Amino acid sequence: MRLDLAGVSARIDARLIVDDVTLTAGPGEFVALVGPNGSGKSTLLRTVYRSLRPSAGIVRLDGRDLWRMRPRQAARHRAVLPQHGQAAEGFTAAEVVAAGRYSHKRSLARETSADRAAVGTALDRVGMGWAADRLVTTLSGGERQRVLLARALAQEAPLLILDEPTNHLDVGSQLLLLDLIRSLGLTLLAALHDLDQAAAYADQVVVLRDGRVAGHGPPAEVLTPAFIEEVFGVRAHVGPHPLTGRPHIAVASPVTMPDEPTTTT
Amino acid sequence: MTDTLTLPPRTGPTPSRRPHLISGPATGLFLAALLAGLVAALVVGISIGSVNLPLGQVWGVVWAHLTGRGAQADPLLSQVVWEIRTPRALLAALSGAGLAVAGVALQALVRNPLADPYVLGVSSAASLGAVLVPALGGTALAGAFGVTGAAFAAAMLSALLVYVLSQRSGRLLDSWLVLTGVAVGYLCAAATTFIQLQLNPGELQGMMFWLMGSVAGASWPDLGVPALLIAVCVAWLALQVRALNALMAGEEAAIAIGVPVAALRIGLLVAGSLLTATVVSVVGGVGFIGLMIPHMARFVVGADHRRVLPVSLLAGAVFLVLVDLAARIADRPNELPVGIFTTGLGVPFFLWLLRRRVKGGGDAA
């Protein structure tokens, strides 16, 4: 599944939030969207998961206009892990994940063995098979996030959109989640807060600033110390990760933190 | 990529327990029990009144009319049972079912378990529409609409107003919807009070009774329109149960899953208003059923609308049949408005259920 955004602009209350963004995610490619708060990452993603219609430009999936598809058809092409994933009260984890099968079902059709298998597989894959019959409200924040990811996986769509998927997760869960989504073979478009994670996991990064693309390309080419300082206002060190050898970005405040620990007398 | 990773499982701290009081195959049995309970409540409701009739004779008359054969011993008995009490009991069942399902629709619409036809102002608007007709006397407008039509028109108008005022850049804000609904509801209630003050005392007596709700005086012709409208709304909702489940996870999640959210919400608003207006225009203001019954359903079978919808439908019907029974026998030979009983019986039971649930699971819906 190939995702193309061509000249996409988006407005909220007539205010231009996303301005003429063009980007491409090839089949199986992981594209990370990074940028400071308010740079338009979430708003741009909303145009891809059809919650906000672009004021200009076009979103294409394998060349077809996403906004001209019917809702169920669109859902069979792209799944979403939203930023503010809510756990509705009174639902078990399996019932939440089963909602992801909506686009594969007719209104009155009974659940088939294929549906149940998809739900079970998705829950197992995120390590939550044990929680199938638990109420989601009894699970921890990290566990709920896994259940919501399982719902997106049960949709069986070739494109997965993630809006800050590692929010609210402990550091181990963050890395496991990124490893997992990378291993799925899906086309991925994810807004990420953590530059280091974007550099380590993404094939391409797109840097947004004030709703415009400030830079895009492979992380090693785009995320240079000078560019990071220009966009994010922090000092940065870029080098191979001491443990993994992947690109590694360490950042520091430009003003308040001294280079070396100092002692005062 | 060939190998897909699997996250290592996190085992839970406690052994798995049944998520809902009733789940799995037991749900079908529970629905059957509710249906049997409804039939029993109807028969009991028909047999008890100003004169108590033996259950056997009541059943005999009903059976004779349903099958078109059997001995019709006593014409007077037959008339009391079939022409007076049966339509009344059926109207109570229809109204209870309609209000409970309206609650399901409106709670899903705003994803707020506090929503009901009263919170969204629909009930108050329907009442206003209904009192406007006698207040306007025999004017052409009132004559053309009738009480039911006027109640429905007012309910839809207020629902539309609330819906439009709750939009912000193309998105429906749940919190605004509730606030706007409450405000419009107060406005309608004030207007209704003003109109009541203009009426003479004789009219006022009847109107007060009507505003508190009553199924007295029901006849067979009264049942047709509500039955049809409620059937249509329930059938439409039955087609939307999966979408309703998805909607409970949030607007954006529902869109991502493939639910046509905007169309669904308009449909829910229309269905909720139509159900409320239909019931309010026939039996007056009966509070609390729309709020309470769906909650009770969720306590018992969980929040999945595939189960909440049929359970609410049947439980609402049983509840109002029993409430009407209580309203008739509490102060014989006088009848009390059912609204007093839905609230008077409903609130303590609801609070008890809520407290018990919080103590037991810590996951009150």
Side-chain angles (χ1 to χ4, degrees):
Chain A
M1 174 66 54
R2 178 189 170 89
L3 169 70
D4 288 292
L5 276 69
V8 168
S9 298
R11 294 171 183 274
I12 294 179
D13 294 337
R15 207 158 65 87
L16 192 63
I17 307 293
V18 171
D19 185 6
D20 194 23
V21 168
T22 296
L23 68 84
T24 293
E29 208 169 45
F30 184 167
V31 175
L33 208 52
V34 300
N37 287 339
S39 59
K41 301 190 295 290
S42 289
T43 305
L44 181 63
L45 290 185
R46 283 180 62 193
T47 67
V48 187
Y49 58 81
R50 304 217 326 173
S51 132
L52 183 69
R53 191 179 280 276
S55 56
I58 189 162
V59 180
R60 287 195 188 90
L61 299 181
D62 279 346
R64 298 177 58 195
D65 187 342
L66 173 73
W67 279 89
R68 285 174 180 274
M69 293 182 187
R70 302 181 62 82
R72 283 183 200 228
Q73 190 184 10
R76 286 195 292 269
H77 287 89
R78 62 96 188 85
V80 181
L81 182 61
Q83 182 175 11
H84 302 292
Q86 290 154 323
E89 285 171 354
F91 286 93
T92 64
E95 286 165 353
V96 167
V97 176
R101 302 296 299 164
Y102 178 81
S103 56
H104 297 270
K105 308 295 297 173
R106 290 187 170 275
S107 295
L108 277 178
R110 298 186 71 86
E111 247 165 46
T112 62
S113 54
D115 292 322
R116 281 190 292 274
V119 169
T121 306
L123 274 171
D124 285 340
R125 179 160 290 164
V126 300
M128 293 297 290
W130 60 272
D133 290 328
R134 296 296 182 89
L135 291 175
V136 281
T137 42
T138 64
L139 302 176
S140 73
E143 290 166 344
R144 278 183 215 177
Q145 184 78 341
R146 289 179 176 211
V147 171
L148 295 180
L149 176 61
R151 184 179 66 196
L153 298 184
Q155 223 166 308
E156 295 180 335
L159 168 66
L160 181 58
I161 312 290
L162 307 101
D163 195 354
E164 315 247 346
T166 55
N167 264 5
H168 314 303
L169 297 185
D170 61 64
V171 64
S173 300
Q174 291 189 14
L175 299 178
L176 281 171
L177 183 120
L178 290 168
D179 281 327
L180 170 68
I181 60 170
R182 234 198 107 83
S183 76
L184 295 170
L186 305 175
T187 306
L188 301 168
L189 176 63
L192 291 177
H193 248 320
D194 190 320
L195 290 178
D196 190 37
Q197 289 175 357
Y201 283 91
D203 301 308
Q204 305 274 329
V205 291
V206 174
V207 184
L208 284 187
R209 179 172 51 181
D210 298 332
R212 307 188 69 109
V213 175
H216 65 96
E221 291 174 21
V222 176
L223 298 175
T224 61
F227 185 71
I228 291 171
E229 179 160 11
E230 183 196 329
V231 173
F232 292 90
V234 294
R235 290 183 296 141
H237 165 83
V238 180
H241 193 287
L243 299 178
T244 64
R246 293 187 196 171
H248 170 55
I249 297 174
V251 295
S253 162
V255 280
T256 55
M257 299 282 283
D259 283 340
E260 303 287 336
T262 54
T263 50
T264 51
T265 49
Chain B
M1 225 163 277
T2 51
D3 289 338
T4 55
L5 272 173
T6 294
L7 294 193
R10 288 184 156 195
T11 44
T14 52
S16 188
R17 64 179 173 87
R18 285 153 62 88
H20 314 307
L21 283 179
I22 291 174
S23 55
T27 311
L29 283 176
F30 181 60
L31 283 173
L34 271 178
L35 195 61
L38 176 59
V39 172
L42 284 170
V43 171
V44 173
I46 291 167
S47 70
I48 293 178
S50 50
V51 179
N52 288 351
L53 304 169
L55 284 176
Q57 287 185 26
V58 168
W59 186 250
V61 171
V62 172
W63 187 251
H65 275 93
L66 287 180
T67 57
R69 56 196 162 84
Q72 298 195 7
D74 184 349
L76 183 64
L77 175 79
S78 176
Q79 190 182 353
V80 166
V81 168
W82 190 250
E83 298 299 333
I84 297 174
R85 291 192 183 174
T86 304
R88 177 181 185 147
L90 287 177
L91 184 62
L94 272 178
S95 303
L99 287 173
V101 172
V104 172
L106 293 174
Q107 285 170 14
L109 171 69
V110 299
R111 285 193 304 108
N112 188 332
L114 286 178
D116 81 338
Y118 277 83
V119 170
L120 293 187
V122 181
S123 287
S124 307
S127 294
L128 175 61
V131 300
L132 267 175
V133 173
L136 292 175
T139 62
L141 185 71
F145 276 104
V147 174
T148 304
F152 174 59
M156 281 302 296
L157 216 59
S158 82
L160 195 68
L161 182 71
V162 168
Y163 188 78
V164 169
L165 289 177
S166 307
Q167 299 264 355
R168 196 177 133 86
S169 50
R171 285 211 281 183
L172 194 62
L173 299 182
D174 306 332
S175 54
W176 285 25
L177 198 60
V178 173
L179 286 173
T180 314
V182 169
V184 169
Y186 274 119
L187 193 64
C188 292
T192 306
T193 307
F194 177 75
I195 289 169
Q196 284 174 278
L197 290 175
Q198 312 303 309
L199 299 171
N200 66 50
E203 287 171 314
L204 195 59
Q205 180 66 33
M207 189 137 296
M208 279 307 292
F209 193 80
W210 190 82
L211 284 174
M212 293 299 293
S214 171
V215 289
S219 62
W220 283 104
D222 295 337
L223 298 178
V225 172
L228 181 70
L229 290 176
I230 290 169
V232 167
C233 289
V234 169
W236 180 78
L237 281 166
L239 292 174
Q240 314 299 326
V241 283
R242 280 175 212 279
L244 295 183
N245 287 346
L247 196 57
M248 297 310 280
E251 183 168 342
E252 306 218 312
I255 292 170
I257 287 166
V259 176
V261 170
L264 176 66
R265 293 190 118 170
I266 291 170
L268 286 173
L269 198 68
V270 171
S273 307
L274 191 55
L275 286 165
T276 307
T278 303
V279 175
V280 169
S281 65
V282 183
V283 303
V286 178
F288 215 60
I289 291 181
L291 176 65
M292 186 179 59
I293 297 291
H295 268 285
M296 289 168 44
R298 278 191 287 265
F299 284 141
V300 178
V301 295
D304 190 327
H305 284 86
R306 283 174 292 184
R307 300 190 296 266
V308 169
L309 184 67
V311 168
S312 299
L313 180 87
L314 289 173
V318 172
F319 182 73
L320 197 53
V321 172
L322 293 180
V323 160
D324 181 46
L325 184 64
R328 278 183 287 149
I329 63 177
D331 186 26
R332 278 202 274 198
N334 297 317
E335 287 190 9
L336 297 170
V338 288
I340 293 175
F341 281 87
T342 52
T343 318
L345 293 177
V347 171
F349 180 64
F350 182 68
L351 290 176
W352 172 76
L353 205 58
L354 193 64
R355 300 292 305 170
R356 192 171 158 270
R357 181 68 177 171
V358 169
K359 204 165 51 182
D363 50 357

PDB file of all heavy atoms in Angstrom, chain B residues 74-98:
ATOM      1  N   ASP B  74     -68.683 -14.199  29.432  1.00  0.00           N
ATOM      2  CA  ASP B  74     -69.275 -12.990  29.999  1.00  0.00           C
ATOM      3  C   ASP B  74     -68.895 -11.786  29.130  1.00  0.00           C
ATOM      4  O   ASP B  74     -67.731 -11.395  29.089  1.00  0.00           O
ATOM      5  CB  ASP B  74     -68.742 -12.836  31.428  1.00  0.00           C
ATOM      6  CG  ASP B  74     -69.390 -11.641  32.113  1.00  0.00           C
ATOM      7  OD1 ASP B  74     -70.060 -10.854  31.427  1.00  0.00           O
ATOM      8  OD2 ASP B  74     -69.190 -11.514  33.324  1.00  0.00           O
ATOM      9  N   PRO B  75     -69.863 -11.178  28.436  1.00  0.00           N
ATOM     10  CA  PRO B  75     -69.547 -10.044  27.565  1.00  0.00           C
ATOM     11  C   PRO B  75     -68.921  -8.882  28.335  1.00  0.00           C
ATOM     12  O   PRO B  75     -68.041  -8.202  27.822  1.00  0.00           O
ATOM     13  CB  PRO B  75     -70.903  -9.646  26.987  1.00  0.00           C
ATOM     14  CG  PRO B  75     -71.859 -10.720  27.320  1.00  0.00           C
ATOM     15  CD  PRO B  75     -71.298 -11.520  28.437  1.00  0.00           C
ATOM     16  N   LEU B  76     -69.382  -8.656  29.566  1.00  0.00           N
ATOM     17  CA  LEU B  76     -68.845  -7.539  30.346  1.00  0.00           C
ATOM     18  C   LEU B  76     -67.382  -7.795  30.697  1.00  0.00           C
ATOM     19  O   LEU B  76     -66.515  -6.931  30.508  1.00  0.00           O
ATOM     20  CB  LEU B  76     -69.667  -7.356  31.631  1.00  0.00           C
ATOM     21  CG  LEU B  76     -69.228  -6.166  32.488  1.00  0.00           C
ATOM     22  CD1 LEU B  76     -69.446  -4.855  31.735  1.00  0.00           C
ATOM     23  CD2 LEU B  76     -69.970  -6.143  33.812  1.00  0.00           C
ATOM     24  N   LEU B  77     -67.128  -9.021  31.176  1.00  0.00           N
ATOM     25  CA  LEU B  77     -65.753  -9.406  31.487  1.00  0.00           C
ATOM     26  C   LEU B  77     -64.881  -9.265  30.241  1.00  0.00           C
ATOM     27  O   LEU B  77     -63.786  -8.691  30.267  1.00  0.00           O
ATOM     28  CB  LEU B  77     -65.726 -10.851  31.986  1.00  0.00           C
ATOM     29  CG  LEU B  77     -64.325 -11.426  32.231  1.00  0.00           C
ATOM     30  CD1 LEU B  77     -63.784 -10.934  33.558  1.00  0.00           C
ATOM     31  CD2 LEU B  77     -64.351 -12.948  32.186  1.00  0.00           C
ATOM     32  N   SER B  78     -65.405  -9.764  29.143  1.00  0.00           N
ATOM     33  CA  SER B  78     -64.661  -9.713  27.890  1.00  0.00           C
ATOM     34  C   SER B  78     -64.335  -8.269  27.510  1.00  0.00           C
ATOM     35  O   SER B  78     -63.224  -7.955  27.092  1.00  0.00           O
ATOM     36  CB  SER B  78     -65.490 -10.375  26.786  1.00  0.00           C
ATOM     37  OG  SER B  78     -64.828 -10.240  25.564  1.00  0.00           O
ATOM     38  N   GLN B  79     -65.328  -7.394  27.703  1.00  0.00           N
ATOM     39  CA  GLN B  79     -65.091  -5.999  27.312  1.00  0.00           C
ATOM     40  C   GLN B  79     -64.054  -5.330  28.215  1.00  0.00           C
ATOM     41  O   GLN B  79     -63.171  -4.609  27.738  1.00  0.00           O
ATOM     42  CB  GLN B  79     -66.405  -5.217  27.369  1.00  0.00           C
ATOM     43  CG  GLN B  79     -66.232  -3.848  26.734  1.00  0.00           C
ATOM     44  CD  GLN B  79     -67.486  -3.004  26.803  1.00  0.00           C
ATOM     45  OE1 GLN B  79     -68.539  -3.488  27.221  1.00  0.00           O
ATOM     46  NE2 GLN B  79     -67.379  -1.769  26.400  1.00  0.00           N
ATOM     47  N   VAL B  80     -64.158  -5.568  29.532  1.00  0.00           N
ATOM     48  CA  VAL B  80     -63.199  -4.961  30.463  1.00  0.00           C
ATOM     49  C   VAL B  80     -61.787  -5.428  30.135  1.00  0.00           C
ATOM     50  O   VAL B  80     -60.850  -4.637  30.046  1.00  0.00           O
ATOM     51  CB  VAL B  80     -63.570  -5.319  31.919  1.00  0.00           C
ATOM     52  CG1 VAL B  80     -62.404  -4.984  32.859  1.00  0.00           C
ATOM     53  CG2 VAL B  80     -64.814  -4.571  32.347  1.00  0.00           C
ATOM     54  N   VAL B  81     -61.659  -6.734  29.910  1.00  0.00           N
ATOM     55  CA  VAL B  81     -60.320  -7.279  29.673  1.00  0.00           C
ATOM     56  C   VAL B  81     -59.786  -6.827  28.318  1.00  0.00           C
ATOM     57  O   VAL B  81     -58.666  -6.319  28.203  1.00  0.00           O
ATOM     58  CB  VAL B  81     -60.340  -8.821  29.759  1.00  0.00           C
ATOM     59  CG1 VAL B  81     -59.030  -9.397  29.228  1.00  0.00           C
ATOM     60  CG2 VAL B  81     -60.561  -9.240  31.199  1.00  0.00           C
ATOM     61  N   TRP B  82     -60.583  -7.000  27.280  1.00  0.00           N
ATOM     62  CA  TRP B  82     -60.049  -6.821  25.930  1.00  0.00           C
ATOM     63  C   TRP B  82     -60.098  -5.371  25.443  1.00  0.00           C
ATOM     64  O   TRP B  82     -59.201  -4.921  24.738  1.00  0.00           O
ATOM     65  CB  TRP B  82     -60.800  -7.733  24.957  1.00  0.00           C
ATOM     66  CG  TRP B  82     -60.129  -7.768  23.604  1.00  0.00           C
ATOM     67  CD1 TRP B  82     -60.600  -7.224  22.453  1.00  0.00           C
ATOM     68  CD2 TRP B  82     -58.858  -8.347  23.303  1.00  0.00           C
ATOM     69  NE1 TRP B  82     -59.702  -7.425  21.452  1.00  0.00           N
ATOM     70  CE2 TRP B  82     -58.620  -8.116  21.949  1.00  0.00           C
ATOM     71  CE3 TRP B  82     -57.913  -9.034  24.069  1.00  0.00           C
ATOM     72  CZ2 TRP B  82     -57.469  -8.549  21.321  1.00  0.00           C
ATOM     73  CZ3 TRP B  82     -56.754  -9.470  23.429  1.00  0.00           C
ATOM     74  CH2 TRP B  82     -56.547  -9.218  22.077  1.00  0.00           C
ATOM     75  N   GLU B  83     -61.134  -4.629  25.825  1.00  0.00           N
ATOM     76  CA  GLU B  83     -61.262  -3.268  25.300  1.00  0.00           C
ATOM     77  C   GLU B  83     -60.622  -2.216  26.193  1.00  0.00           C
ATOM     78  O   GLU B  83     -60.295  -1.115  25.742  1.00  0.00           O
ATOM     79  CB  GLU B  83     -62.757  -2.911  25.124  1.00  0.00           C
ATOM     80  CG  GLU B  83     -63.490  -3.793  24.137  1.00  0.00           C
ATOM     81  CD  GLU B  83     -62.915  -3.715  22.734  1.00  0.00           C
ATOM     82  OE1 GLU B  83     -62.336  -2.664  22.393  1.00  0.00           O
ATOM     83  OE2 GLU B  83     -63.020  -4.713  21.995  1.00  0.00           O
ATOM     84  N   ILE B  84     -60.466  -2.514  27.497  1.00  0.00           N
ATOM     85  CA  ILE B  84     -59.940  -1.497  28.409  1.00  0.00           C
ATOM     86  C   ILE B  84     -58.552  -1.858  28.930  1.00  0.00           C
ATOM     87  O   ILE B  84     -57.601  -1.091  28.775  1.00  0.00           O
ATOM     88  CB  ILE B  84     -60.895  -1.279  29.600  1.00  0.00           C
ATOM     89  CG1 ILE B  84     -62.230  -0.733  29.061  1.00  0.00           C
ATOM     90  CG2 ILE B  84     -60.292  -0.296  30.610  1.00  0.00           C
ATOM     91  CD1 ILE B  84     -63.304  -0.605  30.108  1.00  0.00           C
ATOM     92  N   ARG B  85     -58.452  -3.039  29.527  1.00  0.00           N
ATOM     93  CA  ARG B  85     -57.200  -3.320  30.234  1.00  0.00           C
ATOM     94  C   ARG B  85     -56.066  -3.793  29.323  1.00  0.00           C
ATOM     95  O   ARG B  85     -54.914  -3.453  29.550  1.00  0.00           O
ATOM     96  CB  ARG B  85     -57.465  -4.355  31.331  1.00  0.00           C
ATOM     97  CG  ARG B  85     -58.324  -3.772  32.442  1.00  0.00           C
ATOM     98  CD  ARG B  85     -58.338  -4.674  33.626  1.00  0.00           C
ATOM     99  NE  ARG B  85     -59.216  -4.156  34.662  1.00  0.00           N
ATOM    100  CZ  ARG B  85     -59.507  -4.817  35.761  1.00  0.00           C
ATOM    101  NH1 ARG B  85     -59.008  -6.021  35.949  1.00  0.00           N
ATOM    102  NH2 ARG B  85     -60.299  -4.292  36.668  1.00  0.00           N
ATOM    103  N   THR B  86     -56.414  -4.577  28.312  1.00  0.00           N
ATOM    104  CA  THR B  86     -55.352  -5.060  27.424  1.00  0.00           C
ATOM    105  C   THR B  86     -54.657  -3.919  26.668  1.00  0.00           C
ATOM    106  O   THR B  86     -53.429  -3.838  26.673  1.00  0.00           O
ATOM    107  CB  THR B  86     -55.903  -6.118  26.446  1.00  0.00           C
ATOM    108  OG1 THR B  86     -56.504  -7.157  27.193  1.00  0.00           O
ATOM    109  CG2 THR B  86     -54.791  -6.693  25.591  1.00  0.00           C
ATOM    110  N   PRO B  87     -55.407  -3.022  26.030  1.00  0.00           N
ATOM    111  CA  PRO B  87     -54.703  -1.915  25.353  1.00  0.00           C
ATOM    112  C   PRO B  87     -53.887  -1.071  26.321  1.00  0.00           C
ATOM    113  O   PRO B  87     -52.801  -0.599  25.979  1.00  0.00           O
ATOM    114  CB  PRO B  87     -55.822  -1.093  24.708  1.00  0.00           C
ATOM    115  CG  PRO B  87     -57.103  -1.675  25.144  1.00  0.00           C
ATOM    116  CD  PRO B  87     -56.851  -3.000  25.762  1.00  0.00           C
ATOM    117  N   ARG B  88     -54.400  -0.912  27.555  1.00  0.00           N
ATOM    118  CA  ARG B  88     -53.660  -0.113  28.526  1.00  0.00           C
ATOM    119  C   ARG B  88     -52.322  -0.776  28.868  1.00  0.00           C
ATOM    120  O   ARG B  88     -51.272  -0.119  28.883  1.00  0.00           O
ATOM    121  CB  ARG B  88     -54.500   0.046  29.791  1.00  0.00           C
ATOM    122  CG  ARG B  88     -53.760   0.793  30.863  1.00  0.00           C
ATOM    123  CD  ARG B  88     -54.590   0.917  32.123  1.00  0.00           C
ATOM    124  NE  ARG B  88     -53.857   1.759  33.057  1.00  0.00           N
ATOM    125  CZ  ARG B  88     -54.427   2.577  33.910  1.00  0.00           C
ATOM    126  NH1 ARG B  88     -55.734   2.685  33.964  1.00  0.00           N
ATOM    127  NH2 ARG B  88     -53.686   3.305  34.716  1.00  0.00           N
ATOM    128  N   ALA B  89     -52.384  -2.085  29.130  1.00  0.00           N
ATOM    129  CA  ALA B  89     -51.142  -2.790  29.472  1.00  0.00           C
ATOM    130  C   ALA B  89     -50.167  -2.781  28.299  1.00  0.00           C
ATOM    131  O   ALA B  89     -48.956  -2.599  28.475  1.00  0.00           O
ATOM    132  CB  ALA B  89     -51.465  -4.226  29.890  1.00  0.00           C
ATOM    133  N   LEU B  90     -50.716  -2.957  27.084  1.00  0.00           N
ATOM    134  CA  LEU B  90     -49.837  -2.961  25.910  1.00  0.00           C
ATOM    135  C   LEU B  90     -49.230  -1.583  25.674  1.00  0.00           C
ATOM    136  O   LEU B  90     -48.072  -1.460  25.283  1.00  0.00           O
ATOM    137  CB  LEU B  90     -50.612  -3.418  24.672  1.00  0.00           C
ATOM    138  CG  LEU B  90     -50.938  -4.910  24.626  1.00  0.00           C
ATOM    139  CD1 LEU B  90     -51.761  -5.230  23.385  1.00  0.00           C
ATOM    140  CD2 LEU B  90     -49.652  -5.741  24.619  1.00  0.00           C
ATOM    141  N   LEU B  91     -50.019  -0.524  25.928  1.00  0.00           N
ATOM    142  CA  LEU B  91     -49.479   0.825  25.752  1.00  0.00           C
ATOM    143  C   LEU B  91     -48.352   1.070  26.760  1.00  0.00           C
ATOM    144  O   LEU B  91     -47.334   1.697  26.427  1.00  0.00           O
ATOM    145  CB  LEU B  91     -50.581   1.877  25.923  1.00  0.00           C
ATOM    146  CG  LEU B  91     -50.120   3.317  25.670  1.00  0.00           C
ATOM    147  CD1 LEU B  91     -49.638   3.491  24.239  1.00  0.00           C
ATOM    148  CD2 LEU B  91     -51.235   4.311  25.972  1.00  0.00           C
ATOM    149  N   ALA B  92     -48.534   0.574  27.991  1.00  0.00           N
ATOM    150  CA  ALA B  92     -47.472   0.710  28.986  1.00  0.00           C
ATOM    151  C   ALA B  92     -46.214  -0.012  28.510  1.00  0.00           C
ATOM    152  O   ALA B  92     -45.099   0.529  28.600  1.00  0.00           O
ATOM    153  CB  ALA B  92     -47.931   0.144  30.332  1.00  0.00           C
ATOM    154  N   ALA B  93     -46.386  -1.226  27.975  1.00  0.00           N
ATOM    155  CA  ALA B  93     -45.224  -1.991  27.492  1.00  0.00           C
ATOM    156  C   ALA B  93     -44.533  -1.269  26.349  1.00  0.00           C
ATOM    157  O   ALA B  93     -43.305  -1.114  26.329  1.00  0.00           O
ATOM    158  CB  ALA B  93     -45.671  -3.388  27.060  1.00  0.00           C
ATOM    159  N   LEU B  94     -45.334  -0.783  25.386  1.00  0.00           N
ATOM    160  CA  LEU B  94     -44.764  -0.059  24.242  1.00  0.00           C
ATOM    161  C   LEU B  94     -44.015   1.183  24.704  1.00  0.00           C
ATOM    162  O   LEU B  94     -42.914   1.484  24.226  1.00  0.00           O
ATOM    163  CB  LEU B  94     -45.893   0.379  23.299  1.00  0.00           C
ATOM    164  CG  LEU B  94     -46.346  -0.583  22.220  1.00  0.00           C
ATOM    165  CD1 LEU B  94     -47.498   0.043  21.446  1.00  0.00           C
ATOM    166  CD2 LEU B  94     -45.185  -0.871  21.271  1.00  0.00           C
ATOM    167  N   SER B  95     -44.634   1.936  25.630  1.00  0.00           N
ATOM    168  CA  SER B  95     -44.024   3.193  26.069  1.00  0.00           C
ATOM    169  C   SER B  95     -42.725   2.936  26.818  1.00  0.00           C
ATOM    170  O   SER B  95     -41.726   3.634  26.607  1.00  0.00           O
ATOM    171  CB  SER B  95     -44.995   3.962  26.966  1.00  0.00           C
ATOM    172  OG  SER B  95     -46.203   4.202  26.279  1.00  0.00           O
ATOM    173  N   GLY B  96     -42.748   1.937  27.705  1.00  0.00           N
ATOM    174  CA  GLY B  96     -41.531   1.609  28.440  1.00  0.00           C
ATOM    175  C   GLY B  96     -40.418   1.184  27.500  1.00  0.00           C
ATOM    176  O   GLY B  96     -39.267   1.632  27.631  1.00  0.00           O
ATOM    177  N   ALA B  97     -40.764   0.348  26.525  1.00  0.00           N
ATOM    178  CA  ALA B  97     -39.764  -0.105  25.551  1.00  0.00           C
ATOM    179  C   ALA B  97     -39.238   1.074  24.749  1.00  0.00           C
ATOM    180  O   ALA B  97     -38.025   1.223  24.548  1.00  0.00           O
ATOM    181  CB  ALA B  97     -40.377  -1.153  24.629  1.00  0.00           C
ATOM    182  N   GLY B  98     -40.148   1.944  24.302  1.00  0.00           N
ATOM    183  CA  GLY B  98     -39.743   3.089  23.482  1.00  0.00           C
ATOM    184  C   GLY B  98     -38.817   4.026  24.231  1.00  0.00           C
ATOM    185  O   GLY B  98     -37.794   4.474  23.689  1.00  0.00           O
TER     186      GLY B  98
END
